[in-house]
Amino acid sequence: MAHAERRDIEATGRKLQEWFARTLGEARRVEVDGLRGPSETGFSSDTLLFDLRWEDARGPHSEPLVVRLEPTGFPIFPRYDIPLQCRLLRLLAATDVPVPRVRWLEEDRSVLGVPFYIMERVPGRVPPDIPPYHTGGWISELSPAERERLWWNGLDAMARVHRLDWQKLGLSFLDEP
């Protein structure tokens, strides 16, 4: 997480809960539960995990979600474009590239102070940046066979991206400087 220590988790949870209460329309008893940063994370974004619970005419619902926020403080990238990330993930969702489904995009900075999007939480583990994943942590502790499977899975995902017909998908916007 880019700068989770600067984010007031309780206040963020309350604001998210209020936003969902407006966004979900006729939902009742909207609750953002267990808002937290992932245990292992990178430096390039501000990412928070939570469970969203609500009720509507169909009954009770519970969904594990992720909020991805534009980072504040020390930027890793010269330009951080949440709407662009969201657009790309939504386009890739129609392909065989494994990406989480993006549920909502909010560009209004008055909600959480920065643009953000909400996506489904995918089970799995995140390679840590501290320590670098190749020198310590859970990846370095994998057996050779497990590391090989991880490597091949990553290569397969990358190959899927490179097999895409970028023009047919409308990805020419990525060629902008």
Side-chain angles (χ1 to χ4, degrees), residues 2-174:
H3 287 283
E5 66 277 10
R6 293 186 186 159
R7 181 171 300 285
D8 182 335
I9 294 295
E10 288 183 24
T12 300
R14 283 191 304 275
K15 291 175 186 176
L16 265 179
Q17 192 162 299
E18 292 166 4
W19 181 83
F20 275 116
R22 291 188 307 272
T23 302
L24 293 174
E26 298 193 19
R28 301 177 310 279
R29 295 187 183 95
V30 176
E31 180 184 357
V32 170
D33 186 41
L35 187 68
R36 68 202 179 282
S39 60
E40 298 167 313
T41 185
F43 289 120
S44 63
S45 66
D46 195 351
T47 303
L48 298 171
L49 312 174
F50 63 98
D51 293 311
L52 178 63
R53 292 182 177 69
W54 76 98
E55 292 180 18
D56 60 20
R58 295 177 310 190
H61 304 273
S62 180
E63 194 171 349
L65 296 171
V66 173
V67 58
R68 200 78 190 261
L69 304 107
E70 182 178 296
T72 57
F74 181 75
I76 299 295
F77 302 108
R79 187 171 145 245
Y80 202 86
D81 193 333
I82 286 287
L84 177 82
Q85 289 179 27
C86 184
R87 181 178 177 192
L88 181 57
L89 286 171
R90 286 179 167 162
L91 287 169
L92 290 176
T95 72
D96 68 344
V97 175
V99 295
R101 183 169 73 108
V102 174
R103 301 289 307 279
W104 297 276
L105 168 66
E106 181 56 72
E107 297 182 69
D108 184 350
R109 292 177 178 272
S110 71
V111 177
L112 295 178
V114 294
F116 63 91
Y117 60 91
I118 309 283
M119 60 186 167
E120 293 178 339
R121 190 176 342 144
V122 177
R125 296 182 76 185
V126 177
D129 283 334
I130 300 175
Y133 68 87
H134 60 282
T135 63
W138 68 269
I139 291 179
S140 67
E141 297 164 2
L142 293 174
S143 71
E146 291 169 321
R147 265 189 253 142
E148 179 180 357
R149 188 171 70 237
L150 178 69
W151 186 85
W152 281 112
N153 286 343
L155 191 60
D156 176 62
M158 192 181 333
R160 289 177 190 204
V161 170
H162 286 278
R163 283 193 301 263
L164 294 175
D165 183 339
W166 62 272
Q167 291 172 318
K168 185 177 176 182
L169 280 171
L171 297 175
S172 61
F173 65 92
L174 294 175

